[in-house]
């Protein structure tokens, strides 16, 4: 559906784990926290925690990434 999305994410953020990449792709597909939770067999609160940690890792890689108040979903969809 999004040709090359996983490669672009991996190139821009090489420090992300395979689980982080999977989460990015599910976010990019527009899945809600509940849908992501069902796909990866965790609770919705775990998905929220994973998103928080993912955002933290992305900020470590690119300090000004969320400076303008973008959400994780917006950033991932624009990669």
């Amino acid at each position: 559906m999004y040709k090359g999305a996983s490669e672009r994410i991996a190139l821009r953020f090489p420090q992300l784990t395979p689980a982080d990449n999977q989460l990015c792709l599910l976010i990019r597909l527009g899945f809600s926290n509940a849908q992501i939770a069902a796909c990866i067999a965790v609770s919705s609160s775990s998905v929220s925690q994973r998103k928080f940690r993912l955002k933290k890792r992305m900020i470590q890689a690119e300090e000004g990434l969320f400076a303008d108040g973008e959400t994780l979903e917006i950033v991932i969809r624009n990669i």
Side-chain angles (χ1 to χ4, degrees), residues 17-68:
T17 66
D20 290 336
N21 288 329
Q22 178 188 35
L23 180 59
C24 286
L25 294 175
L26 292 171
I27 292 169
R28 185 163 180 126
L29 289 170
F31 284 30
S32 68
N33 282 3
Q35 291 170 319
I36 293 171
C39 284
I40 60 176
V42 297
S43 68
S44 288
S45 62
S46 292
V47 173
S48 295
Q49 285 182 328
R50 287 181 182 201
K51 283 183 169 183
F52 176 78
R53 290 184 191 126
L54 175 61
K55 184 175 179 179
K56 192 173 175 181
R57 285 188 197 104
M58 291 174 129
I59 290 172
Q60 288 174 345
E62 292 183 27
E63 290 184 23
L65 191 59
F66 295 93
D68 295 329

